[in-house]
């Protein structure tokens, strides 16, 4: 199961990199101008904090997999990360529906993240 946790590190690292591309990918330089002076920075700050969370998940997965797999605290952290990804999967349905292939793809990707971190909890 330590290997699965290590894979989870790459999973979260990929999401950190993906979120770093949001400014260009979604044209935030122009799109965010339509938001209020309060909401514009809030969106960007939330994205930056989310990138930080992904990097923390990745670092813990890369450097503390044995402890995550073997201790009560580790399993609690694994469960929390799993619930984070499960919640994101549910939010995909609520906010984006499952009507477009990209939305369905992301829903499945988020469920994979859920499984990566939940399976070691069961062991």
């Amino acid at each position: 199961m330590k290997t699965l946790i290590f894979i989870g590190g790459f999973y979260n690292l990929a999401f950190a990199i993906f979120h770093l591309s949001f400014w260009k990918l979604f044209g935030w330089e122009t799109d965010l101008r339509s938001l209020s002076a309060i909401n514009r920075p809030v969106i960007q700050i939330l994205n930056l904090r989310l990138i930080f969370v992904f990097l923390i998940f990745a670092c813990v997965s890369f450097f503390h997999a044995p402890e995550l797999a073997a201790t009560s605290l580790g399993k609690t952290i694994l469960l929390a990360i799993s619930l984070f990804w499960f919640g994101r999967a549910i939010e995909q349905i609520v906010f984006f529906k499952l009507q477009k292939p990209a939305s369905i793809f992301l829903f499945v990707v988020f469920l994979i993240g859920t499984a990566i971190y939940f399976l070691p909890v069961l062991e």
Side-chain angles (χ1 to χ4, degrees), residues 22-41:
F22 276 20
W23 282 266
K24 279 194 176 212
L25 185 66
F26 297 116
W28 277 7
E29 187 176 329
T30 54
D31 271 11
L32 292 182
R33 286 184 194 147
S34 67
L35 295 177
S36 70
I38 295 295
N39 286 330
R40 186 177 319 114

Side-chain angles (χ1 to χ4, degrees), residues 41-62:
V42 166
I43 294 295
Q44 295 178 80
I45 289 167
L46 288 171
N47 190 53
L48 289 168
R49 294 299 83 209
L50 193 52
I51 292 165
F52 179 76
V53 168
F54 293 145
L55 292 174
I56 293 297
F57 288 175
C59 285
V60 170
S61 299
F62 287 141

Side-chain angles (χ1 to χ4, degrees), residues 11 18 34 36 40 45 63 69 74 76 79 81 85 89 92 96-97 102 107 111:
Y11 177 89
F18 177 56
S34 67
S36 70
R40 186 177 319 114
I45 289 167
F63 301 111
T76 300
L79 182 60
I81 297 171
W85 287 113
Q92 188 68 23
F96 293 98
K97 313 299 180 230
F107 174 73
L111 287 181

Side-chain angles (χ1 to χ4, degrees), residues 11 82 103 118:
Y11 177 89
S82 178
S103 186
F118 188 68

